Amino acid sequence: MASLDRVKVLVLGDSGVGKSSLVHLLCQNQVLGNPSWTVGCSVDVRVQDYKEGTPDEKTYYIELWDVGGSIGNASSVKSTRAVFYNSVNGIILVHDLTNKKSSQNVYRWSLEALNKDSSPTGVIVSNGEYDREQFAENPVPLLLIGTKFDQIPENKRNEVLTRTAFLSEDFNAEEINLDCTNPRYLAAGTSNAVKLSRFFDKVRNPELYGIFLSLSLQVASFTDRKRFNFKSLHYD
Amino acid sequence: LCHFPPNDSINPSQVLFFGFGWLFFMRRLFKDYEVRQYVVQVVFSVTFAFSCTMFELIIFEILGALSSSSRYFHWKLNLYVILLVLIFVVPFYIGYFVVSNIRLLQRQRLLFACMVWFTFMYFFWKLGDPFPILSPKHGILSIEQLISRVGVIGVTLMALLSGFGAVNCPYTYMSYFLRNVTDSDILALERRLLQTMDMIVSKKKRIAMTRRQMYQRGEDQNRQTGFWGMIKSVTSTQTGGENLSLIQQEVDGLEELSRQLFLETVLVQATKERIEYSKTFQGKYFNFLGYFFSIYCVWKTFMVKFWSQHISFILVGIIIVTSIRGLLITLTKFFYAISSSKSSNVIVLVLAQIMGMYFVSSVLLMRMSMPLEYRSIVTEVLGELQFNFYHRWFDVIFLVSALSSILFLYLAHKQAPEKHMAL
């Protein structure tokens, strides 16, 4: 009962944050033993069951496209990477919790991917600068994953979690903080696993995501959000 | 002779150079990394500051600024600091950070760092043996011992880089060498790349599906008992397993192909951008400069000794500025290519070491480009080294490097059109 639909999710982030380990964990349910530099793009497939046990049961294959950042950011590399950004159903933004700069660069990665989206409902960002309102109407679901969670000392945890909370608010996306060398973080039943399957549901089911979007926009317009000056998180 | 000079414009400029080095470190080199060990940044900026001050002192020498005793004092001070940094501080910290990265040795970091430093000093000292760089009247513990060795390393480095640069500069900037790249070439490559990725995806889906079926069948097999059940389970998993390893091999091959296609596409894009750049005004300007400097590089090999004060000042100034700029750009590219969040500290320190040695040797070699009346201060400060040796050594390595670069670029250029046609 394999599905014929094609579901493509990009995995973006700075070089060395742990995208390959994350993708391996998500697709093979195993820890990657020998991580090495990703040249170009590496794809893997995650098998996801939908409505298991019911007559509507379907098996989806979610393609995770891990676009490596290790060759640098020359314009020739950027133009070549843009080839992979077509017809994307979802984006996972990965950053390293022990490296503040990688968290700032997440803005740049999302802009790069969304600018090149050639689907008719793609977001067009005109001046290249981050605009929160456009992310609120963005039709492509995002997920923020912070890696190397175990390497943060106890006393710095609160500071880091506050920072990532503001990040996820800016992107209107859920966030997961984990350690890619420990499958326990994504074990069935944990809140992380729930967030993950919710994200993949949104990716597979754009109408559901549209409803979620309009609901969250209505809620947002009524609440008074206390905002940290997010300019300090801005990429330089 | 150790009195403090009355008017002093050196110190503010040193602060300025330090600030520039600091900014360069933060804005360029460590753009994507978090600075956790500030000592690395300080060491890099100090090396940069004192290296630039040396160049400034040469300019002052030619211009006749400040009093000669004041210049002499600053030369000596600068030299001592630079040697201290290049021979004690930077190598020690390189050893320290390398050792910190290795888990086994982390407990006794300081001890192992000192051991590494002593090993470095041993080889550094041994460097003096094969080269006739000292005259016999120098004692063991004189400053000439240290400078001469730093000079050898730095001069070798300079000659290698200059030789490659002299060949690469005309190659890069002259349009004649650029291959003809059209948009359709790029589109064709991109299409091939995407097709390869799609094939990888479909094969991985098959693998996942087969694995799942095997897993489900495996569960069913466990329920089957008896002799025939056992035989069935063995045969079906075997064929399933064989299929899997076959598909996996195909996937590995396709992934390697996708990497090659990606790199090829990047190369072709870069060539196309370079062609477009050469058509712009800026591109034409640098093209002209490229012609000019390639002629200058050839001229330099024949060592024309016809200088007046103004020309020597201007040309020495240009050499200094372009060397610094060229070196920083090269180091930055190198750094981006090989660094990771773990090794960034070590690599920056290695770059600081290279930069310091490069600049010290520039001073050594620059002496020959300066008119006789200005050479005296360099001779006085650096002691009586065998300067002629350094120039001969530079020429030899320069020629070797230039010839190897010509050969290398010729081979690379020759291979490229064939690859292009095979597409």
Side-chain angles (χ1 to χ4, degrees):
Chain A
M1 280 173 280
S3 158
L4 295 170
D5 302 325
R6 209 169 158 179
V7 182
K8 174 173 165 184
V9 173
L10 286 178
V11 179
L12 302 175
D14 276 355
S15 164
V17 298
K19 297 187 293 296
S20 306
S21 305
L22 176 70
V23 167
H24 199 260
L25 186 63
L26 288 175
C27 299
Q28 314 287 340
N29 285 318
Q30 273 178 350
V31 174
L32 183 60
N34 54 336
S36 63
W37 301 115
T38 313
V39 172
C41 175
S42 121
V43 192
D44 212 342
V45 166
R46 177 180 163 99
V47 181
Q48 185 111 359
D49 287 316
Y50 185 55
K51 289 192 176 163
E52 215 172 342
T54 69
D56 295 334
E57 180 178 0
K58 257 186 154 184
T59 306
Y60 277 92
Y61 293 99
I62 303 181
E63 304 166 26
L64 292 174
W65 291 56
D66 166 11
V67 180
S70 64
I71 305 192
N73 282 316
S75 55
S76 53
V77 181
K78 276 194 185 166
S79 333
T80 312
R81 273 205 298 250
V83 154
F84 303 123
Y85 296 158
N86 292 325
S87 49
V88 161
N89 302 108
I91 304 180
I92 298 182
L93 296 164
V94 188
H95 62 117
D96 182 350
L97 292 168
T98 62
N99 183 351
K100 258 188 258 183
K101 296 269 173 78
S102 72
S103 311
Q104 291 170 5
N105 286 340
V106 153
Y107 292 95
R108 190 161 54 84
W109 281 108
S110 54
L111 284 175
E112 190 181 315
L114 292 171
N115 260 334
K116 294 292 188 285
D117 187 3
S118 60
S119 67
T121 49
V123 172
I124 299 164
V125 182
S126 52
N127 56 356
E129 278 190 4
Y130 170 70
D131 184 347
R132 201 176 194 281
E133 295 311 312
Q134 288 183 314
F135 272 99
E137 297 158 16
N138 173 28
V140 177
L142 302 171
L143 178 67
L144 263 173
I145 296 191
T147 57
K148 307 192 190 170
F149 187 59
D150 56 318
Q151 289 178 28
I152 306 177
E154 283 291 337
N155 52 346
K156 291 240 171 113
R157 277 216 177 146
N158 272 330
E159 183 193 320
V160 168
L161 289 175
T162 324
R163 186 162 37 97
T164 57
F166 283 118
L167 255 186
S168 75
E169 209 188 290
D170 277 340
F171 282 109
N172 197 21
E174 302 229 44
E175 53 151 350
I176 295 177
N177 295 320
L178 46 66
D179 166 26
C180 296
T181 60
N182 192 342
R184 178 173 66 88
Y185 283 92
L186 292 176
T190 55
S191 64
N192 287 340
V194 170
K195 287 186 199 169
L196 199 64
S197 53
R198 260 214 300 262
F199 170 70
F200 285 128
D201 285 342
K202 280 188 231 164
V203 163
R204 260 190 331 251
N205 207 340
E207 302 95 56
L208 181 69
Y209 182 58
I211 298 171
F212 164 79
L213 258 185
S214 58
L215 273 178
S216 69
L217 277 176
Q218 283 184 10
V219 169
S221 65
F222 283 122
T223 55
D224 183 34
R225 286 162 302 171
K226 191 171 61 170
R227 292 228 314 212
F228 184 75
N229 181 14
F230 76 90
K231 279 208 161 61
S232 68
L233 295 173
H234 233 287
Y235 179 66
D236 191 5
Chain B
L1 272 170
C2 216
H3 66 277
F4 286 97
N7 51 353
D8 223 348
S9 63
I10 305 270
N11 289 333
S13 61
Q14 273 187 333
V15 173
L16 194 74
F17 291 137
F18 182 86
F20 186 80
W22 186 272
L23 275 177
F24 174 75
F25 182 94
M26 282 233 309
R27 291 300 176 99
R28 288 296 202 94
L29 286 181
F30 260 49
K31 192 164 58 119
D32 288 333
Y33 299 111
E34 227 179 291
V35 183
R36 258 164 284 183
Q37 310 273 15
Y38 277 99
V39 70
V40 175
Q41 197 168 2
V42 167
V43 166
F44 182 86
S45 309
V46 162
T47 314
F48 185 77
F50 280 92
S51 307
C52 289
T53 314
M54 268 198 305
F55 289 131
E56 196 191 11
L57 284 170
I58 292 187
I59 302 276
F60 280 6
E61 194 65 35
I62 298 178
L63 287 180
L66 302 186
S67 63
S68 73
S69 56
S70 152
R71 289 197 301 257
Y72 182 78
F73 167 78
H74 278 289
W75 265 112
K76 276 284 184 195
L77 175 69
N78 216 37
L79 200 65
Y80 283 128
V81 171
I82 279 245
L83 284 177
L84 186 77
V85 167
L86 285 181
I87 300 177
F88 293 99
V89 177
V90 177
F92 175 76
Y93 273 115
I94 291 178
Y96 179 77
F97 282 114
V98 165
V99 164
S100 304
N101 272 340
I102 305 174
R103 284 204 192 152
L104 283 173
L105 308 174
Q106 250 203 345
R107 292 270 177 83
Q108 310 273 8
R109 265 184 296 200
L110 275 175
L111 177 69
F112 283 109
C114 289
M115 278 170 59
V116 170
W117 185 80
F118 277 114
T119 321
F120 162 78
M121 272 313 280
Y122 175 74
F123 284 111
F124 184 72
W125 203 259
K126 276 289 178 192
L127 200 63
D129 292 341
F131 297 110
I133 45 184
L134 298 169
S135 48
K137 55 182 167 168
H138 289 132
I140 281 280
L141 290 177
S142 61
I143 200 120
E144 284 84 4
Q145 298 273 2
L146 300 175
I147 300 180
S148 54
R149 288 171 170 83
V150 169
V152 168
I153 302 176
V155 165
T156 312
L157 216 69
M158 277 190 76
L160 283 174
L161 288 176
S162 307
F164 181 70
V167 170
N168 196 38
C169 189
Y171 178 78
T172 315
Y173 286 120
M174 287 185 199
S175 326
Y176 174 68
F177 286 97
L178 290 173
R179 314 197 302 265
N180 225 5
V181 166
T182 61
D183 278 340
S184 56
D185 292 332
I186 296 182
L187 281 174
L189 266 175
E190 287 181 352
R191 217 181 318 127
R192 265 190 82 190
L193 179 58
L194 278 178
Q195 278 172 0
T196 313
M197 300 306 301
D198 286 341
M199 284 199 284
I200 295 175
V201 166
S202 62
K203 287 199 195 292
K204 285 206 168 174
K205 283 184 183 169
R206 266 186 67 192
I207 293 179
M209 190 158 62
T210 314
R211 275 224 185 98
R212 183 165 254 243
Q213 288 173 353
M214 276 170 59
Y215 178 71
Q216 285 170 346
R217 229 180 294 133
E219 274 199 337
D220 291 336
Q221 291 312 314
N222 286 336
R223 293 198 217 118
Q224 281 207 2
T225 51
F227 183 64
W228 292 115
M230 211 163 53
I231 299 275
K232 257 199 206 167
S233 69
V234 165
T235 49
S236 56
T237 44
Q238 261 193 351
T239 46
E242 264 172 29
N243 270 340
L244 263 189
S245 65
L246 214 70
I247 307 180
Q248 186 61 47
Q249 273 181 4
E250 291 173 11
V251 164
D252 292 337
L254 282 173
E255 283 184 328
E256 181 59 39
L257 176 64
S258 79
R259 281 189 283 268
Q260 285 178 12
L261 283 173
F262 183 81
L263 290 174
E264 180 76 23
T265 313
V266 169
L267 204 69
V268 169
Q269 279 274 9
T271 313
K272 176 184 162 216
E273 282 169 15
R274 200 180 297 155
I275 293 177
E276 280 176 9
Y277 180 71
S278 75
K279 292 184 186 149
T280 65
F281 178 71
Q282 226 186 358
K284 292 207 168 102
Y285 170 71
F286 278 111
N287 207 353
F288 168 73
L289 271 189
Y291 282 111
F292 178 73
F293 272 112
S294 33
I295 297 175
Y296 174 72
C297 291
V298 173
W299 187 37
K300 209 171 158 190
T301 12
F302 296 103
M303 286 210 301
V304 177
K305 294 177 191 179
F306 222 54
W307 308 82
S308 77
Q309 185 193 20
H310 298 289
I311 296 182
S312 70
F313 165 65
I314 292 173
L315 273 164
V316 163
I318 293 180
I319 296 174
I320 290 173
V321 169
T322 50
S323 319
I324 296 181
R325 183 178 172 273
L327 184 75
L328 287 181
I329 290 177
T330 313
L331 292 185
T332 315
K333 279 193 201 164
F334 202 64
F335 181 75
Y336 285 159
I338 62 175
S339 74
S340 70
S341 47
K342 263 196 161 183
S343 62
S344 51
N345 285 330
V346 172
I347 294 178
V348 164
L349 287 173
V350 169
L351 296 185
Q353 178 89 7
I354 294 177
M355 180 174 66
M357 290 190 163
Y358 185 93
F359 289 156
V360 166
S361 323
S362 308
V363 169
L364 258 179
L365 291 174
M366 209 175 286
R367 185 181 159 275
M368 202 61 180
S369 314
M370 294 161 63
L372 273 161
E373 54 263 40
Y374 307 119
R375 288 193 204 169
S376 54
I377 184 78
V378 180
T379 323
E380 240 182 280
V381 171
L382 296 182
E384 285 192 37
L385 300 176
Q386 307 279 44
F387 289 105
N388 286 327
F389 161 73
Y390 288 106
H391 286 283
R392 274 179 285 131
W393 182 248
F394 179 90
D395 294 338
V396 166
I397 301 288
F398 180 87
L399 276 173
V400 166
S401 169
L403 288 174
S404 322
S405 312
I406 291 178
L407 185 69
F408 170 75
L409 285 174
Y410 174 72
L411 287 175
H413 182 63
K414 224 180 161 237
Q415 266 200 358
E418 286 168 0
K419 255 167 109 181
H420 204 57
M421 281 190 278
L423 292 173

